[in-house]
Structures are given as structure tokens and as C-alpha cells.
Amino acid sequence: MARGVRLCGDAVRYVVKVAYDGTDFVGWQVQPNGPSVQQALADAAASAFGESAVFTASGRTDSGVHAAGQVCHVDLKVCVPPDRLADALNARLPPSVSVLASAAAPEGFDANRSAKKKTYVYRMYLSPRRNPLKDRYSLHIAGGIDISALRRAAEPFVGEHDFKAYCAARSQVKTTVRTVYSVDVEAEGEDVGIYVCGGGFLYNMVRTMAGTMLGLAAGRLSRADVVRSLEEGDRSLVGKTLPARGLTLLNVDYGRDLFS
């Protein structure tokens, strides 16, 4: 057990903010076919505190997807200064995962159910030649993109829609209706980011939205195609699902600062 901690009478709920490079993980959730971020955190807690712990995230990220501000809660039977939990875990985590902040969870807090908004960014870079220093976290596009057209391509997605056409066929959810609050395109030099803020997302949803926006901007799809895809759920009317490496979970909004 890590120094400076002691057992509590009851389990204490903590909240942590985690950043990770998802390249070598099978995703957030524990799976039998490879290493997961959730398991890396559980292993760190077991090493630090000698107890089995389950980290519950705001939502699961897919294989290869990164996070700059994933939020999780964990119940531990040890009393540790909440702001020092991050240090205890980081000392035992692999280099690809880091706990950026830790705190005592508010009463009734659940990292998944209490989340109000999530923001993802899909990053690309426009260059005639590939840049290995960018490839790990963004998609290389050899040709140009009409940025104005890409911004216009975002418009149909804002609002409450049925995103059935934008999720993987194997998704098991009660409803495919989701609310997207904003879709913004930022460009600086050769770097382009598609920022999507919503109440929640389906498996592959943001990556397929980004691919569809590229198709619209390039003229391979029409606005009418996208509108119909949202109305009819027809997968043939949407663009490609872009590679996971370009997608990062930026932050999760709970309507309050959890780490102040």
C-alpha cells in the first residue's frame, strides 16, 4: 500500500481526470483481446492500495481513440488526500496514461450519468507529404480542403437527430437519437480540427460525421444526402468512418468545476 494512506470505514468515491494516448489500447473498457485504459488504472490502484477497483468513465472511447480530459469515478476503501490520488496512480501507470487531477467526488456523483456535455475533436493536417510527428494524433490529407465548405457541411448535424446511419452496425443502444450542440471547424496553417459538442455519442458517430463532412466539402455528397441520412437512417448516404487516430475526447462538462 502506498505511503500516507489508511483504510476508511466505508468506501470513498473519488473523481479523476485522465489523459491517454489510445494508440496501443483496445479502447477504454476492459476486454480480453488486449490492454485497455480501464485495466491500466485498475492495475495502478491495485499496486498502490492493494485492492480491486473499478474505474467508471464518462463514456467509453474506441480502440485507438485518445483523451485529453476523460473523467472517471472510483470507489476505494482507503483514505488518501483526494488531490494526492493522482500522484499515487501516476507512479504506477504506463507512460501512455496520466491522471491530470483528482478530487473527492460530490455527493451522488456518477462520471457517466452526471455528464451533461462532451466535446471531441477530429484532427487532420493538409500536406503533400506525410509527417510522422503528426500521424499519431491526426489524419493526413494529401489534397486541399475548402474550409468554408467544411464549415457549411457541419450545419445539418446540429440539433436533435436520429444518428442511426452514423454508428457501427453492432452498436447495442436503446436509442440512436442524440443531441449535438455545436460543430465547429478550426484551421491554422495545415492543421484542421472538427470540434463536436453533444450530450452523448454513438460508437463511431463522430468519426463518421467527420468523414461525411469531408465528403460534402469535396462534393462527393450533397446536403440533401446528409439530411436524408438523418431522416431515414440510410448508411449509404454518409461518408467514410475516419481512422481512430485523429479523434480525441477533449473534455466532459458536468455543469460545475470538479477539481477546484
Side-chain angles (χ1 to χ4, degrees):
M1 184 179 295
R3 295 174 61 184
V5 300
R6 58 185 175 81
L7 291 175
C8 299
D10 298 307
V12 176
R13 177 158 292 188
Y14 301 91
V15 56
V16 296
K17 181 192 293 185
V18 185
Y20 49 86
D21 178 335
T23 305
D24 298 324
F25 291 106
V26 294
W28 161 263
Q29 190 175 24
V30 172
Q31 297 180 47
N33 60 325
S36 68
V37 181
Q38 188 181 39
Q39 188 64 59
L41 287 162
D43 290 345
S47 175
F49 309 120
E51 66 174 283
S52 177
V54 176
F55 286 77
T56 300
S58 67
R60 291 176 285 179
T61 51
D62 305 336
S63 176
V65 174
H66 317 292
Q70 175 69 280
V71 176
C72 326
H73 75 251
V74 61
D75 297 331
L76 297 171
K77 295 179 181 178
V78 295
C79 292
V80 56
D83 62 331
R84 298 303 303 274
L85 176 61
D87 297 324
L89 294 173
N90 283 338
R92 296 159 175 85
L93 284 167
S96 53
V97 184
S98 179
V99 178
L100 304 179
S102 56
E107 185 176 354
F109 178 82
D110 183 289
N112 180 267
R113 294 178 182 145
S114 302
K116 297 183 181 300
K117 297 179 182 178
K118 300 173 188 176
T119 301
Y120 281 86
V121 59
Y122 196 92
R123 293 190 172 99
M124 302 165 280
Y125 70 98
L126 318 178
S127 172
R129 297 175 183 85
R130 186 180 62 83
N131 184 339
L133 299 181
K134 293 186 177 183
D135 274 349
R136 199 171 179 93
Y137 307 107
S138 58
L139 176 67
H140 173 225
I141 297 180
I145 298 176
D146 183 335
I147 299 300
S148 295
L150 192 64
R151 290 190 172 112
R152 291 194 298 273
E155 296 169 0
F157 295 110
V158 178
E160 184 181 86
H161 302 287
D162 188 340
F163 285 92
K164 178 181 178 181
Y166 293 82
C167 68
R170 65 179 181 274
S171 295
Q172 296 180 344
V173 291
K174 293 181 180 179
T175 176
T176 50
V177 174
R178 294 292 185 273
T179 299
V180 172
Y181 298 110
S182 64
V183 184
D184 299 304
V185 176
E186 295 186 9
E188 183 176 354
E190 67 179 20
D191 299 315
V192 179
I194 298 174
Y195 293 78
V196 184
C197 177
F201 297 95
L202 302 166
Y203 181 65
N204 284 353
M205 178 175 157
V206 177
R207 291 160 57 195
T208 307
M209 286 174 58
T212 301
M213 289 174 61
L214 285 180
L216 270 168
R220 294 188 297 270
L221 295 169
S222 69
R223 187 184 179 98
D225 289 333
V226 177
V227 172
R228 283 182 56 206
S229 74
L230 295 169
E231 292 175 347
E232 302 172 12
D234 188 344
R235 184 67 177 83
S236 69
L237 298 172
V238 308
K240 295 180 179 179
T241 300
L242 298 183
R245 66 179 179 272
L247 187 62
T248 298
L249 172 61
L250 278 185
N251 60 66
V252 186
D253 182 0
Y254 291 91
R256 53 182 162 175
D257 186 351
L258 298 171
F259 302 100
S260 59

